[in-house]
Amino acid sequence: MNYANIKDCDIANGPGVRVTLFVSGCTHHCKGCFNREAWDFGYGEPFTRDTIDRILEMLKPSYVKGLTLLGGEPFEPQNQGPIVELLRQIKAIYPQKSIWAFSGYLFDRDILSGKLGDWEITKEYLSYLDVLVDGPFVEAKKDLMLRFRGSSNQRLINVPESLAAGKVVEWEDWQGNGRGMK
Ligand code: SF4
């Protein structure tokens, strides 16, 4: 897997100060994509042991609330293995830090169907996630007032509760379901 960028102080892609990893490679090719160069799986730098160590170090300060995975597409089959290796280590060292991921795939239709590569890897991946923002960016549904989302078709999904309930449970924060800004 390659990655395009790592931000160590991101406040736009999940609650609190976060480390954000932008992985390379995306097959959705949404119209109006904000990150077209990352469609190419070969874009950016190779994701290595050193990259994992760097992210673990960035997560160390107590004010960093967690990691966000962006892309590109963090659920492309070829990206899942290296990401699971990263998440396994993060959860072992920092079990209290939250993990968010943004995907153009739909949680129920695509990810839970097991069609995105090895289901055992996908299952382990999901076990580490707190929130998944799912669905492709749809330019016609773009809404700048939405919190943590680009278009209104995208959902903020509480992954542990959804897996336990066997249906999509939307993530809610103190500001009410992540709908609306601030
Ligand atoms: S899923 Fe994200 S990175 Fe991929 S094309 Fe759509 S907006 Fe761009």
Side-chain angles (χ1 to χ4, degrees):
M1 181 177 85
N2 274 24
Y3 70 97
N5 195 10
I6 302 172
K7 288 186 180 173
D8 64 354
C9 209
D10 186 2
I11 54 165
N13 294 301
V17 176
R18 314 185 67 76
V19 174
T20 302
L21 170 66
F22 294 79
V23 302
S24 296
C26 180
T27 56
H28 299 298
H29 298 186
C30 308
K31 190 173 170 229
C33 169
F34 69 105
N35 202 10
R36 293 175 70 102
E37 62 276 11
W39 292 1
D40 177 1
F41 284 86
Y43 180 74
E45 303 292 323
F47 185 82
T48 64
R49 175 72 247 173
D50 282 352
T51 320
I52 291 180
D53 288 344
R54 197 147 67 88
I55 292 172
L56 293 173
E57 192 60 29
M58 287 175 176
L59 285 165
K60 209 178 212 172
S62 58
Y63 62 80
V64 176
K65 299 301 175 205
L67 175 86
T68 295
L69 297 157
L70 262 162
E73 173 53 68
F75 270 91
E76 296 293 6
Q78 53 271 66
N79 287 345
Q80 289 190 33
I83 289 174
V84 165
E85 181 57 36
L86 169 68
L87 298 185
R88 203 181 279 145
Q89 294 190 42
I90 291 174
K91 280 296 170 185
I93 300 173
Y94 309 114
Q96 78 285 7
K97 307 241 180 195
S98 66
I99 309 290
W100 280 47
F102 286 70
S103 175
Y105 290 110
L106 292 181
F107 177 68
D108 33 4
R109 187 195 69 188
D110 305 320
I111 296 174
L112 288 184
S113 73
K115 70 180 186 186
L116 299 176
D118 183 338
W119 171 241
E120 288 305 314
I121 292 178
T122 305
K123 209 163 60 169
E124 184 177 353
Y125 192 160
L126 291 173
S127 75
Y128 300 132
L129 284 190
D130 294 284
V131 172
L132 175 74
V133 185
D134 83 338
F137 172 69
V138 177
E139 200 168 30
K141 296 185 174 176
K142 180 177 174 180
D143 184 346
L144 296 176
M145 294 300 285
L146 292 170
R147 191 163 182 249
F148 306 138
R149 293 173 293 164
S151 58
S152 59
N153 60 296
Q154 295 170 315
R155 302 176 293 184
L156 291 157
I157 297 173
N158 183 322
V159 175
E161 286 192 18
S162 297
L163 293 175
K167 62 177 185 177
V168 172
V169 177
E170 293 202 35
W171 177 77
E172 296 187 30
D173 66 4
W174 69 97
Q175 285 134 335
N177 208 22
R179 300 186 192 285
M181 210 162 140
K182 292 179 287 290

